[in-house]
């Protein structure tokens, strides 16, 4: 049996929503994703993207930031407010890092800056889908520093109060807590949480760490749980 055909058949049920108003980029994305066995839906504006994502429930969204009608940031924000947890990879041609950081903070799973390699985009799509469709964590919990994560329920409580996290924030927090008091590099976290098979942008890790601190630390300038180890990475430190 042809193993390549097996691979394509295995992912052929996955549907990717492409949201892009540039015809040439749209064609490039559509062609390459189909070549890798995915089904695609193509829309060219933000309002249509919001409606299509809500009704059709794709497995992943490739979302441009600069869109007519409603930009990609607002599309992402609206989807997360509607509790649509479909993984999102954002595309941006802007040099301003603010848009990238904002996209990650409101719930995007990854971003890529134009121009980009179709091969890298396909690799990122596969990585994000692996994480989204991976096996559930065992039915147990972890409690450190008054913070409890319930792995199977994807819920977190801080001193008895329920906290809200995006899926990636939750997975990052769980990984840090499972390796408490151990320093983890940005590359290690990128590999473990985002499952990248190549060197990715470690700023994704920094953004998510910042967001975690906003939610669990009393003083984000002097964090007690998630510590920065300068020049290396981060660790979740247990204190008495």
């Amino acid at each position: 049996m042809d193993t390549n055909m097996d691979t394509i058949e295995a992912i052929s049920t996955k549907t990717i929503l492409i949201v892009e108003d540039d015809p040439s980029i749209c064609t490039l994305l559509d062609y390459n994703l189909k070549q890798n066995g995915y089904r695609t839906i193509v829309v060219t504006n933000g309002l249509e993207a919001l409606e299509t994502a809500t009704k059709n429930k794709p497995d992943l969204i490739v979302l441009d930031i600069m869109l007519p009608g409603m930009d990609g940031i607002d599309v992402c924000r609206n989807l997360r407010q509607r509790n649509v947890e479909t993984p999102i990879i954002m595309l941006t041609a802007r040099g301003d890092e603010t848009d990238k950081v904002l996209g990650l903070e409101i719930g995007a799973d990854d971003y890529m800056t134009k121009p980009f390699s179709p091969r890298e985009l396909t690799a990122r799509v596969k990585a994000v889908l692996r994480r989204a469709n991976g096996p559930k964590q065992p039915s147990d919990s972890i409690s450190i520093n008054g913070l409890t994560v319930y792995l199977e329920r994807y819920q977190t409580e801080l001193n008895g109060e329920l906290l809200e996290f995006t899926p990636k924030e939750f997975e990052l927090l769980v990984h840090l807590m499972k390796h408490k008091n151990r320093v983890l590099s940005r590359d290690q976290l990128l590999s473990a949480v985002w499952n990248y098979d190549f060197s990715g942008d470690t700023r994704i890790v920094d953004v998510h760490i910042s967001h975690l601190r906003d939610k669990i630390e009393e003083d984000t300038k002097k964090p007690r749980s998630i510590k920065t180890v300068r020049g290396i990475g981060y660790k979740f430190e247990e204190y008495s």
Side-chain angles (χ1 to χ4, degrees), residues 69-172:
M70 175 187 290
D71 67 24
I73 294 292
D74 284 337
V75 172
C76 182
R77 181 183 291 111
N78 272 270
L79 288 173
R80 295 310 187 227
Q81 288 174 347
R82 296 181 184 190
N83 295 318
V84 176
E85 296 184 354
T86 305
I88 296 173
I89 298 176
M90 303 200 79
L91 304 178
T92 175
R94 297 178 180 177
D96 188 354
E97 193 174 88
T98 303
D99 285 332
K100 303 170 186 177
V101 172
L102 178 58
L104 293 170
E105 287 185 339
I106 63 175
D109 296 85
D110 199 357
Y111 71 84
M112 294 190 67
T113 303
K114 301 175 186 175
F116 54 82
S117 158
R119 182 179 177 183
E120 182 181 354
L121 176 73
T122 302
R124 291 192 183 222
V125 165
K126 291 178 180 178
V128 171
L129 284 173
R130 279 198 300 268
R131 296 301 302 172
N133 297 283
K136 296 291 185 182
Q137 298 286 346
S139 177
D140 56 0
S141 63
I142 306 172
S143 295
I144 307 172
N145 302 346
L147 185 69
T148 302
V149 293
Y150 299 96
L151 303 178
E152 188 175 67
R153 289 184 281 160
Y154 264 66
Q155 289 185 342
T156 308
E157 291 181 356
L158 179 60
N159 298 321
E161 181 180 351
L162 191 64
L163 301 179
E164 295 293 333
F165 292 101
T166 67
K168 275 291 172 287
E169 290 168 0
F170 182 85
E171 290 171 19
L172 177 58

Side-chain angles (χ1 to χ4, degrees), residues 188-201:
Q188 286 175 318
L189 292 170
L190 195 63
S191 175
V193 178
W194 283 265
N195 205 18
Y196 284 173
D197 297 324
F198 52 89
S199 179
D201 192 334

Side-chain angles (χ1 to χ4, degrees), residues 1 43 49 60 72 79 84 123 126 136 155 208 224-225 235:
M1 184 175 292
V43 300
L60 183 141
L79 288 173
V84 176
K126 291 178 180 178
K136 296 291 185 182
Q155 289 185 342
H208 282 72
R224 297 187 68 194
S225 293
K235 69 173 177 177

Side-chain angles (χ1 to χ4, degrees), residues 183-220:
V183 180
L184 300 171
S185 72
R186 290 173 175 82
D187 284 335
Q188 286 175 318
L189 292 170
L190 195 63
S191 175
V193 178
W194 283 265
N195 205 18
Y196 284 173
D197 297 324
F198 52 89
S199 179
D201 192 334
T202 56
R203 286 175 297 179
I204 294 174
V205 176
D206 296 335
V207 168
H208 282 72
I209 289 289
S210 176
H211 215 202
L212 286 179
R213 284 173 171 163
D214 286 341
K215 296 179 179 181
I216 71 171
E217 300 283 5
E218 290 185 11
D219 185 349
T220 57

